[in-house]
Amino acid sequence: MNIEDSVQMTDNTLDIQNFDELQAVLKSYCLSLTKSNWDAEELAQDTWVKALGKLNKFEHTNPKALLMRIAKNTWIDDIRRKAVYTRILNREQAKVTVPDHGSFEIEIALQSLMNHLSALQRTVFFAARCVWIFDS
C-alpha cells in the first residue's frame, strides 16, 4: 500500500476521510515533537510537501508511519540547521566587538562635537546615536 492508495484521487478529489485521518495523526505527532502549535503546523506542511512531491515513488505498507518518519527526519534536520546557525552567529558576534577607546579619547571627541556643531546638530546627532545604540 502506498500513499496514493491511502489518499486516493477520484475525479481530481481527494478521499477526504483518509486524508483527514492522516492529517490528524501527522499534526498530533508534529505537535508532540515541537511542543508548539505554530511549529507543528509548519512541520506538518513541510512533511506533506516532501511526501506528496515523491508520491509515485513511495511503496510503503503503512503511510502513517512513512509520514511520521518524514516528519521526524525533517524536525531533526531543522534542529541541526538551527544549531549550526546559532554556532555561526555566536562566533561572528564574538568577532564583532567594539574597540575599547579610552575615556580620554571619547571626551576629546565629544568636546570637539560640542565646539563645532550647532545646538540642533548636536541634538540630532545624539538622538540618532541613542536610537542606533538602542537598536543594536
Side-chain angles (χ1 to χ4, degrees):
M1 179 178 184
N2 61 20
I3 290 180
E4 275 183 337
D5 295 336
S6 183
V7 181
Q8 297 174 358
M9 294 287 285
T10 56
D11 298 331
N12 293 331
T13 60
L14 287 172
D15 183 357
I16 301 300
Q17 183 179 4
N18 289 338
F19 177 78
D20 287 343
E21 179 185 338
L22 287 173
Q23 178 63 17
V25 169
L26 179 62
K27 181 148 186 226
S28 174
Y29 182 69
C30 291
L31 189 59
S32 73
L33 288 174
T34 64
K35 308 289 190 263
S36 162
N37 199 23
W38 183 276
D39 290 337
E41 287 181 11
E42 184 177 345
L43 180 59
Q45 288 175 4
D46 291 344
T47 301
W48 276 112
V49 167
K50 288 180 180 182
L52 294 175
K54 300 176 181 179
L55 188 63
N56 296 328
K57 296 178 184 177
F58 289 139
E59 290 294 329
H60 204 276
T61 58
N62 189 348
K64 289 179 191 176
L66 179 63
L67 286 172
M68 287 194 266
R69 173 65 59 99
I70 293 171
K72 177 183 162 197
N73 290 341
T74 302
W75 178 245
I76 290 170
D77 291 345
D78 286 345
I79 294 295
R80 288 179 180 160
R81 189 176 302 112
K82 288 176 184 174
V84 168
Y85 176 74
T86 302
R87 270 197 312 263
I88 291 171
L89 188 62
N90 289 340
R91 191 175 332 138
E92 291 302 315
Q93 284 179 345
K95 290 179 184 177
V96 179
T97 57
V98 178
D100 184 28
H101 297 293
S103 59
F104 182 70
E105 291 175 1
I106 294 173
E107 187 175 340
I108 291 173
L110 288 175
Q111 193 64 299
S112 178
L113 285 174
M114 295 296 287
N115 293 335
H116 293 90
L117 297 179
S118 69
L120 179 60
Q121 289 173 326
R122 287 191 304 259
T123 303
V124 170
F125 175 79
F126 287 117
R129 181 76 175 155
C130 290
V131 168
W132 181 75
I133 290 172
F134 182 74
D135 284 343
S136 61

